[in-house]
Amino acid sequence: MVTPNERLIAARQRTRSVRTPGRPMPRAEVADAVRAWLLATTGREFPFDGHYLGKLERGLVVRPRNEYRAALRYVLNAGSDADLGFDPAVPAVTSTVPPQRRLSQTWPVLDSGNDLDTELMDAASESATWLSLAESSNVGELTVEQLHADVRRIAKSYLKTPTGPLFTRTRALRDRAFVLLEGRQRPAQTRQLYAAAGWALTLLAWMTVDLGRPDVAETHARSARICADNADLDSLRAWVCATQHTAAFWQDDFARAAQYAAEGRRYAEGSAALYLASAHAMDLSRSHQLERAHEVLTEARHLADRLQMSPDEVGGPFQCTTGRGAGLWADTHFGLHQPTEALALTLDGLTAFERTPIAERNAGSERMVRLQLAKAHLMLGEPDGAAEALQPVLETPPGHRVRPLLRRVSEVAALAQVEGSRPAAAITTGIRDSIADFARHSTATS
């Protein structure tokens, strides 16, 4: 008995039509969107139409091909095949026997009673079949190059454009890589596809932290680590560990964050090494391992002195300048109860940012350094300086007010509360009021 696919029907009816606002998306529009997505992700045209979608909804086809399922997940905003009512795949029986040999029940044993020449020709034909399979690929060099170019473009746009829409683009990029990995390609191309998927997953993890769910981000990071291992790419391994550190840090699990940072340092070079050493020192100070934190901080400062940016670095959150490092060093000095040193470092860090062209600056890191500067001023009893450092942060557009930024702002508010009993109480009260207004109008995670 054929059973209609109620979940697929419901998913389509929940999706609003672009062509007819306020109405559910009709089958023809879904089919057009599916074909467009498949063309963009694979470079190929597919014969998906409204008639075929009707078959899926009526239950005449219970599990469409991989590409169609991926496209429908994207177009209908579904998290999994199950959300669209598609049956799980039936596990295939793996065989090491070549395809031609599986077509016949038996093959004759080569002996003096058989035609030796025919046997040799059949064996050669069988090898030729495998040769054509080995040479075939569902991707070209330009496809792989475009995927990696998209990764870099998204990374460099991060915290310069609103995080929510960028998350959607990154998710689509991950899906494109996964769809291509389901096909056949040469081993070198497979590694490149895993690398692209891994970078996309790491971006998703980083964004998920910024959108307020560091616990959920860890799932993306674990998948990214598998991709890094399949790609055998140490730079990706290093930044995955950096992302895992970040997810643990914003859950206040500083000991685990330190473990991830230490692990990542084994793989890191260039600015990844600087970031992970700096983060490691910060984690250690937060874990009250003060002597070790001071040692690692010294190592990080030495790395900064000889830092060389690689042209292969992805950029955005996956690049660490001395300005970004200064924010982490200042946090370490707070843990070491050295606000004067923290103040000096944040001023140096901001100078480094100001010398960097606007297009190349990490706006998110610069805001965090300004907040560290505000904290240092408050710890030193200088609320005027704190108010001045805070002002550019309070002008951050609502769509860029990610959760870690809000956490840091709340730390400044807490310090201002403590300093409110001092002579400059009016200034600290103004700081708290400004921060309260800032928090009320922050919509980055909505």
Side-chain angles (χ1 to χ4, degrees):
M1 179 177 176
V2 176
T3 303
N5 188 336
E6 300 292 348
R7 290 188 181 182
L8 179 59
I9 295 170
R12 178 174 63 81
Q13 292 178 343
R14 283 194 304 269
T15 306
R16 299 293 90 184
S17 172
V18 176
R19 300 171 185 170
T20 311
R23 303 285 297 173
M25 187 177 278
R27 288 175 182 168
E29 187 175 349
V30 172
D32 289 346
V34 164
R35 289 197 305 275
W37 187 86
L38 287 169
L39 180 61
T41 56
T42 69
R44 292 185 292 150
E45 294 185 354
F46 288 81
F48 190 99
D49 58 16
H51 177 69
Y52 182 74
L53 179 57
K55 287 185 176 181
L56 294 177
E57 292 188 350
R58 291 193 297 274
L60 299 176
V61 177
V62 296
R63 187 172 177 83
R65 60 194 295 175
N66 293 337
E67 294 91 342
Y68 290 172
R69 297 199 312 276
L72 285 166
R73 288 197 305 269
Y74 176 78
V75 172
L76 301 178
N77 195 29
S80 66
D81 286 348
D83 291 340
L84 296 178
F86 296 139
D87 288 346
V90 178
V93 178
T94 303
S95 172
T96 57
V97 181
Q100 288 188 359
R101 186 161 295 194
R102 290 201 299 270
L103 294 177
S104 60
Q105 296 294 324
T106 60
W107 278 73
V109 177
L110 186 61
D111 59 29
S112 57
N114 288 314
D115 184 343
L116 178 60
D117 188 59
T118 299
E119 286 291 304
L120 295 176
M121 292 299 294
D122 285 344
S125 176
E126 201 174 286
S127 295
T129 299
W130 282 104
L131 175 64
S132 64
L133 289 172
E135 285 189 330
S136 67
S137 174
N138 67 325
V139 298
E141 291 302 321
L142 291 178
T143 301
V144 172
E145 183 180 326
Q146 185 60 50
L147 282 171
H148 284 271
D150 289 345
V151 165
R152 293 173 187 275
R153 187 177 299 110
I154 290 173
K156 290 176 180 177
S157 298
Y158 193 45
L159 295 186
K160 296 177 182 176
T161 61
T163 304
L166 205 60
F167 183 93
T168 301
R169 288 173 52 197
T170 308
R171 186 178 180 181
L173 176 60
R174 176 204 62 182
D175 290 348
R176 282 165 54 196
F178 282 164
V179 166
L180 291 170
L181 279 166
E182 290 179 347
R184 175 182 294 277
Q185 58 278 150
R186 295 180 180 179
Q189 293 172 322
T190 300
R191 287 194 295 274
Q192 288 295 316
L193 288 175
Y194 272 117
W199 285 117
L201 283 161
T202 310
L203 277 165
L204 286 176
W206 202 281
M207 293 178 187
T208 302
V209 171
D210 278 354
L211 292 170
R213 289 301 302 271
D215 54 331
V216 174
E218 297 196 62
T219 300
H220 292 302
R222 281 190 287 270
S223 298
R225 180 55 188 267
I226 295 298
C227 289
D229 290 340
N230 286 342
D232 194 21
L233 188 60
D234 279 348
S235 60
L236 179 54
R237 289 186 180 108
W239 280 110
V240 170
C241 288
T243 306
Q244 290 174 305
H245 139 81
T246 303
F249 180 89
W250 290 112
Q251 295 175 80
D252 297 325
D253 191 346
F254 306 122
R256 190 159 59 93
Q259 291 172 357
Y260 284 130
E263 180 186 359
R265 295 181 68 187
R266 297 183 356 225
Y267 306 108
E269 295 181 352
S271 77
L274 173 60
Y275 180 85
L276 283 159
S278 303
H280 192 198
M282 178 180 66
D283 298 334
L284 291 167
S285 73
R286 292 281 186 128
S287 304
H288 308 294
Q289 302 178 57
L290 303 187
E291 184 175 348
R292 179 62 179 145
H294 192 276
E295 293 172 358
V296 176
L297 178 59
T298 301
E299 294 171 13
R301 298 291 299 274
H302 287 324
L303 285 170
D305 290 340
R306 56 179 187 271
L307 176 64
Q308 290 186 341
M309 296 293 182
S310 167
D312 295 330
E313 297 206 47
V314 173
F318 308 132
Q319 188 173 66
C320 185
T321 61
T322 54
R324 186 181 186 186
L328 304 175
W329 304 337
D331 200 307
T332 305
H333 279 293
F334 290 145
L336 296 171
H337 310 292
Q338 298 171 335
T340 302
E341 289 81 351
L343 178 67
L345 283 170
T346 53
L347 289 172
D348 289 343
L350 289 174
T351 299
F353 277 118
E354 289 164 1
R355 290 174 179 169
T356 304
I358 290 289
E360 299 175 17
R361 280 154 82 165
N362 185 323
S365 295
E366 185 174 354
R367 293 176 193 126
M368 297 297 255
V369 173
R370 289 188 182 280
L371 290 170
Q372 301 291 44
L373 176 59
K375 288 171 64 176
H377 275 303
L378 286 170
M379 289 178 182
L380 294 169
E382 301 167 356
D384 283 339
E388 183 180 353
L390 185 62
Q391 188 55 45
V393 178
L394 298 181
E395 296 170 0
T396 303
H400 297 170
R401 298 177 187 180
V402 294
R403 192 61 61 87
L405 181 74
L406 298 177
R407 279 277 301 271
R408 283 280 190 254
V409 169
S410 70
E411 292 172 6
V412 175
L415 281 171
Q417 179 71 37
V418 171
E419 298 297 323
S421 60
R422 300 200 176 188
I427 299 175
T428 55
T429 299
I431 289 175
R432 295 199 308 273
D433 291 346
S434 297
I435 289 175
D437 184 66
F438 175 85
R440 279 195 299 270
H441 294 88
S442 297
T443 59
T445 58
S446 62

